[in-house]
Protein backbone atom coordinates (compact mmCIF):
# COMPACT_ATOMS: atom_id res chain seq x y z
CA UNK A 1 0.00 0.00 0.00
CA UNK A 2 1.31 3.50 -0.74
CA UNK A 3 2.55 5.64 2.14
CA UNK A 4 0.16 8.56 2.43
CA UNK A 5 0.96 10.74 5.45
CA UNK A 6 4.03 12.71 6.48
CA UNK A 7 4.74 10.70 9.64
CA UNK A 8 4.60 7.39 7.78
CA UNK A 9 6.80 8.72 4.99
CA UNK A 10 9.31 9.96 7.57
CA UNK A 11 9.33 6.56 9.27
CA UNK A 12 9.97 4.89 5.91
CA UNK A 13 12.97 7.16 5.30
CA UNK A 14 14.18 6.65 8.87
CA UNK A 15 14.10 2.88 8.41
CA UNK A 16 15.84 3.19 5.03
CA UNK A 17 18.65 5.20 6.63
CA UNK A 18 18.99 2.64 9.43
CA UNK A 19 18.95 -0.47 7.24
CA UNK A 20 20.68 1.04 4.17
CA UNK A 21 17.78 -0.27 2.10
CA UNK A 22 16.36 2.24 -0.41
CA UNK A 23 12.65 2.79 -0.88
CA UNK A 24 10.61 3.74 -3.98
CA UNK A 25 10.04 7.44 -4.66
CA UNK A 26 7.02 8.86 -2.86
CA UNK A 27 6.17 10.68 -6.08
CA UNK A 28 5.62 7.35 -7.86
CA UNK A 29 2.36 6.95 -5.95
CA UNK A 30 1.54 10.64 -5.72
CA UNK A 31 3.09 12.71 -8.54
CA UNK A 32 1.37 15.84 -7.18
CA UNK A 33 3.61 15.97 -4.09
CA UNK A 34 5.56 19.23 -3.97
CA UNK A 35 8.11 21.13 -1.94
CA UNK A 36 5.75 21.86 0.98
CA UNK A 37 4.93 18.16 1.26
CA UNK A 38 8.62 17.34 1.24
CA UNK A 39 9.35 19.72 4.10
CA UNK A 40 6.46 18.31 6.12
CA UNK A 41 8.07 14.88 5.86
CA UNK A 42 11.52 16.33 6.54
CA UNK A 43 10.35 17.88 9.82
CA UNK A 44 8.97 14.54 10.97
CA UNK A 45 12.20 12.76 10.00
CA UNK A 46 14.34 15.30 11.85
CA UNK A 47 12.29 14.70 14.99
CA UNK A 48 12.97 10.97 14.74
CA UNK A 49 16.71 11.49 14.27
CA UNK A 50 17.00 14.01 17.10
CA UNK A 51 15.11 11.64 19.38
CA UNK A 52 17.95 9.17 18.78
CA UNK A 53 20.40 11.69 20.27
CA UNK A 54 21.68 13.38 17.12
CA UNK A 55 21.81 17.18 16.91
CA UNK A 56 21.72 19.86 14.23
CA UNK A 57 25.09 21.57 13.70
CA UNK A 58 24.23 23.50 10.55
CA UNK A 59 22.38 23.31 7.25
CA UNK A 60 23.01 22.27 3.69
CA UNK A 61 21.55 24.08 0.72
CA UNK A 62 21.06 22.17 -2.49
CA UNK A 63 19.91 22.98 -6.00
CA UNK A 64 21.94 26.20 -5.94
CA UNK A 65 23.08 25.95 -9.55
CA UNK A 66 20.85 26.71 -12.53
CA UNK A 67 21.49 23.34 -14.26
CA UNK A 68 20.42 21.44 -11.15
CA UNK A 69 17.30 23.58 -10.73
CA UNK A 70 16.34 22.96 -14.36
CA UNK A 71 16.92 19.22 -13.93
CA UNK A 72 14.50 19.03 -11.00
CA UNK A 73 12.11 21.63 -12.43
CA UNK A 74 12.36 24.36 -9.79
CA UNK A 75 13.58 27.95 -9.62
CA UNK A 76 14.88 28.00 -6.05
CA UNK A 77 17.18 25.94 -3.82
CA UNK A 78 16.18 23.49 -1.11
CA UNK A 79 17.67 22.88 2.33
CA UNK A 80 18.13 20.27 5.04
CA UNK A 81 19.94 19.96 8.36
CA UNK A 82 23.55 18.96 8.91
CA UNK A 83 23.62 16.39 11.70
CA UNK A 84 26.55 16.04 14.10
CA UNK A 85 26.83 12.32 13.34
CA UNK A 86 27.59 13.08 9.67
CA UNK A 87 30.52 15.50 10.08
CA UNK A 88 34.05 14.36 9.23
CA UNK A 89 37.44 16.05 9.26
CA UNK A 90 39.89 16.61 6.43
CA UNK A 91 41.67 13.34 5.64
CA UNK A 92 39.19 11.07 7.41
CA UNK A 93 38.22 7.73 5.91
CA UNK A 94 34.51 7.61 5.21
CA UNK A 95 33.06 4.08 5.03
CA UNK A 96 30.75 3.31 2.14
CA UNK A 97 28.83 1.01 4.48
CA UNK A 98 27.21 4.11 6.02
CA UNK A 99 25.47 4.95 2.76
CA UNK A 100 23.31 3.55 -0.03
CA UNK A 101 24.48 5.25 -3.25
CA UNK A 102 26.92 8.02 -2.21
CA UNK A 103 28.45 10.65 -4.45
CA UNK A 104 31.00 13.39 -3.78
CA UNK A 105 30.46 17.13 -4.28
CA UNK A 106 33.05 19.81 -3.52
CA UNK A 107 31.66 23.07 -2.17
CA UNK A 108 32.39 26.15 -0.11
CA UNK A 109 31.28 25.80 3.50
CA UNK A 110 30.81 28.77 5.82
CA UNK A 111 31.06 28.87 9.61
CA UNK A 112 28.67 31.28 11.34
CA UNK A 113 30.23 33.73 13.75
CA UNK A 114 27.06 35.56 14.79
CA UNK A 115 23.40 34.65 15.02
CA UNK A 116 21.56 35.32 11.78
CA UNK A 117 17.77 35.44 11.79
CA UNK A 118 15.53 36.25 8.85
CA UNK A 119 13.42 37.34 7.16
CA UNK A 120 14.97 40.44 5.65
CA UNK A 121 18.62 39.35 5.79
CA UNK A 122 20.73 40.92 3.05
CA UNK A 123 23.88 39.52 1.46
CA UNK A 124 25.87 42.24 3.23
CA UNK A 125 24.41 41.24 6.60
CA UNK A 126 25.06 37.57 5.87
CA UNK A 127 28.71 38.27 5.05
CA UNK A 128 29.14 40.25 8.27
CA UNK A 129 27.77 37.33 10.30
CA UNK A 130 30.29 34.82 8.95
CA UNK A 131 33.32 33.72 10.97
CA UNK A 132 34.82 32.55 7.70
CA UNK A 133 34.91 29.86 5.05
CA UNK A 134 36.41 26.37 4.86
CA UNK A 135 37.02 23.89 2.07
CA UNK A 136 34.25 21.33 2.04
CA UNK A 137 33.31 18.06 0.44
CA UNK A 138 29.76 16.80 0.73
CA UNK A 139 28.76 13.19 0.40
CA UNK A 140 25.27 13.20 -1.03
CA UNK A 141 23.21 10.06 -0.67
CA UNK A 142 19.65 9.04 -1.47
CA UNK A 143 17.41 6.75 0.49
CA UNK A 144 15.26 6.77 -2.66
CA UNK A 145 16.03 3.84 -4.96
CA UNK A 146 18.39 4.51 -7.88
CA UNK A 147 18.36 8.28 -7.27
CA UNK A 148 14.94 8.42 -8.98
CA UNK A 149 14.13 11.61 -7.12
CA UNK A 150 11.75 14.42 -7.81
CA UNK A 151 11.64 17.57 -5.72
CA UNK A 152 9.39 16.26 -2.93
CA UNK A 153 11.48 13.10 -2.62
CA UNK A 154 14.83 14.83 -2.15
CA UNK A 155 13.43 17.51 0.19
CA UNK A 156 11.84 14.85 2.39
CA UNK A 157 15.15 12.95 2.42
CA UNK A 158 17.02 15.84 4.14
CA UNK A 159 17.87 17.29 0.72
CA UNK A 160 19.77 14.05 -0.04
CA UNK A 161 22.35 14.85 2.62
CA UNK A 162 24.75 12.08 3.60
CA UNK A 163 27.85 13.56 5.24
CA UNK A 164 30.35 16.41 5.01
CA UNK A 165 34.11 16.72 5.47
CA UNK A 166 35.72 20.11 6.04
CA UNK A 167 39.18 21.57 6.34
CA UNK A 168 40.18 22.89 9.76
CA UNK A 169 41.45 26.36 8.81
CA UNK A 170 38.73 29.00 8.83
CA UNK A 171 39.52 31.74 6.31
CA UNK A 172 37.99 35.21 6.93
CA UNK A 173 35.78 36.41 4.08
CA UNK A 174 35.89 40.19 4.61
CA UNK A 175 38.37 40.61 1.75
CA UNK A 176 37.48 37.45 -0.15
CA UNK A 177 35.26 37.49 -3.23
CA UNK A 178 33.73 34.06 -2.80
CA UNK A 179 32.24 34.22 -6.29
CA UNK A 180 35.75 33.92 -7.71
CA UNK A 181 37.06 31.11 -5.51
CA UNK A 182 38.18 28.44 -7.94
CA UNK A 183 38.18 24.70 -7.20
CA UNK A 184 39.80 21.62 -8.70
CA UNK A 185 38.67 18.10 -7.83
CA UNK A 186 40.91 15.06 -8.25
CA UNK A 187 40.24 11.37 -7.75
CA UNK A 188 43.31 9.27 -7.04
CA UNK A 189 45.46 12.12 -8.31
CA UNK A 190 43.64 12.59 -11.62
CA UNK A 191 41.72 15.78 -12.36
CA UNK A 192 38.03 15.05 -12.83
CA UNK A 193 36.30 18.44 -12.52
CA UNK A 194 36.65 22.13 -11.77
CA UNK A 195 34.34 24.83 -10.52
CA UNK A 196 34.02 28.29 -8.99
CA UNK A 197 32.02 29.86 -6.19
CA UNK A 198 29.72 31.71 -8.58
CA UNK A 199 28.07 28.37 -9.44
CA UNK A 200 26.21 28.63 -6.11
CA UNK A 201 23.41 31.17 -6.67
CA UNK A 202 25.93 33.51 -8.25
CA UNK A 203 27.61 34.03 -4.85
CA UNK A 204 27.88 31.52 -1.98
CA UNK A 205 27.18 34.31 0.52
CA UNK A 206 23.82 34.83 -1.20
CA UNK A 207 23.08 31.21 -0.30
CA UNK A 208 23.51 32.07 3.40
CA UNK A 209 21.15 35.04 3.10
CA UNK A 210 18.58 32.91 1.26
CA UNK A 211 18.77 30.19 3.91
CA UNK A 212 18.46 32.64 6.82
CA UNK A 213 15.37 34.18 5.25
CA UNK A 214 13.67 30.87 4.45
CA UNK A 215 14.34 29.45 7.91
CA UNK A 216 13.32 32.74 9.49
CA UNK A 217 9.86 32.40 8.04
CA UNK A 218 9.46 29.41 10.37
CA UNK A 219 11.09 31.07 13.38
CA UNK A 220 14.43 29.25 12.97
CA UNK A 221 17.74 31.12 13.13
CA UNK A 222 21.28 30.28 12.09
CA UNK A 223 23.40 30.10 15.24
CA UNK A 224 27.11 30.81 15.92
CA UNK A 225 29.21 27.80 14.96
CA UNK A 226 26.69 26.45 12.46
CA UNK A 227 28.12 25.02 9.25
CA UNK A 228 26.44 26.28 6.09
CA UNK A 229 27.00 24.14 3.02
CA UNK A 230 26.41 26.30 -0.02
CA UNK A 231 25.97 23.79 -2.85
CA UNK A 232 28.02 21.81 -5.33
CA UNK A 233 30.38 23.57 -7.73
CA UNK A 234 30.36 20.64 -10.20
CA UNK A 235 28.45 17.47 -11.07
CA UNK A 236 28.32 14.82 -8.32
CA UNK A 237 30.87 11.98 -8.64
CA UNK A 238 30.14 8.37 -7.53
CA UNK A 239 32.39 6.88 -4.83
CA UNK A 240 34.06 3.46 -4.79
CA UNK A 241 36.20 1.80 -2.08
CA UNK A 242 39.82 2.93 -2.19
CA UNK A 243 39.11 6.25 -3.89
CA UNK A 244 40.91 9.32 -2.57
CA UNK A 245 39.17 12.59 -3.45
CA UNK A 246 40.94 15.91 -3.00
CA UNK A 247 39.33 19.28 -3.60
CA UNK A 248 41.67 22.26 -3.71
CA UNK A 249 40.17 25.72 -3.36
CA UNK A 250 41.82 29.04 -4.09
CA UNK A 251 42.55 30.81 -0.78
CA UNK A 252 40.72 28.14 1.26
CA UNK A 253 43.16 25.30 0.68
CA UNK A 254 42.48 21.58 0.26
CA UNK A 255 40.16 18.99 1.79
CA UNK A 256 40.64 15.25 1.29
CA UNK A 257 38.24 12.34 1.66
CA UNK A 258 39.32 8.71 1.66
CA UNK A 259 36.70 6.13 0.79
CA UNK A 260 36.60 3.00 2.92
CA UNK A 261 34.69 -0.23 2.43
Amino acid sequence: MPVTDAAAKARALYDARRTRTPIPPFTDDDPALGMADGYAVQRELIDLLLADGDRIVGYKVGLTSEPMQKMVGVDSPDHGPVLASTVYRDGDEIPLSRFIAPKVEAEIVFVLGERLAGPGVTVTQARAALAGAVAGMEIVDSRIADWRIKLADTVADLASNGAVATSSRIVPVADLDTRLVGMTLTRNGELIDTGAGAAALGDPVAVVAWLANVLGENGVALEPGHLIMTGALHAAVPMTPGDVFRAEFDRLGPVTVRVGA
Side-chain angles (χ1 to χ4, degrees):
M1 293 179 62
V3 178
T4 56
D5 64 277
K9 288 180 171 66
R11 174 59 67 172
L13 285 170
Y14 175 85
D15 290 340
R17 295 172 69 92
R18 182 175 53 82
T19 64
R20 311 289 186 260
T21 303
I23 60 176
F26 299 130
T27 51
D28 276 2
D29 291 315
D30 190 351
L33 291 173
M35 183 174 282
D37 302 295
Y39 282 121
V41 177
Q42 185 187 114
R43 288 190 292 271
E44 296 279 353
L45 177 57
I46 291 170
D47 287 345
L48 292 172
L49 296 170
L50 297 185
D52 281 345
D54 219 331
R55 57 191 177 88
I56 294 174
V57 296
Y59 293 88
K60 71 152 288 183
V61 182
L63 305 178
T64 55
S65 68
E66 186 174 344
M68 285 300 297
Q69 290 180 6
K70 286 182 177 179
M71 185 181 78
V72 181
V74 297
D75 58 3
S76 71
D78 66 351
H79 64 82
V82 175
L83 300 170
S85 64
T86 68
V87 178
Y88 291 84
R89 295 172 298 181
D90 177 26
D92 279 352
E93 181 175 281
I94 300 181
L96 279 184
S97 59
R98 289 199 60 176
F99 309 100
I100 294 173
K103 302 178 183 183
V104 162
E105 297 179 347
E107 55 194 79
I108 295 169
V109 178
F110 292 117
V111 180
L112 259 289
E114 300 175 7
R115 192 172 190 266
L116 195 61
V121 172
T122 66
V123 173
T124 299
Q125 291 169 329
R127 180 180 293 273
L130 299 175
V134 296
M137 206 175 303
E138 180 181 6
I139 290 84
V140 292
D141 194 22
S142 183
R143 275 55 61 171
I144 304 299
D146 303 319
W147 278 96
R148 292 190 297 113
I149 53 172
K150 294 183 179 177
L151 181 62
D153 302 306
T154 185
V155 170
D157 191 20
L158 305 190
S160 300
N161 197 2
V164 61
T166 64
S167 59
S168 58
R169 183 172 67 99
I170 300 176
V171 178
V173 297
D175 299 319
L176 178 64
D177 190 339
T178 51
R179 300 172 303 170
L180 305 181
V181 172
M183 180 280 305
T184 60
L185 179 68
T186 60
R187 178 177 54 206
N188 305 327
E190 295 186 6
L191 180 68
I192 55 173
D193 218 331
T194 62
L201 279 191
D203 182 355
V205 180
V207 176
V208 179
W210 176 89
L211 178 65
N213 290 327
V214 170
L215 291 178
E217 293 174 359
N218 295 311
V220 178
L222 299 176
E223 302 292 348
H226 270 170
L227 299 175
I228 308 300
M229 301 162 62
T230 59
L233 304 182
H234 62 94
V237 182
M239 304 164 64
T240 57
D243 282 343
V244 178
F245 290 96
R246 180 179 174 91
E248 296 192 53
F249 294 79
D250 180 40
R251 300 281 295 274
L252 305 183
V255 59
T256 300
V257 162
R258 305 176 188 279
V259 184

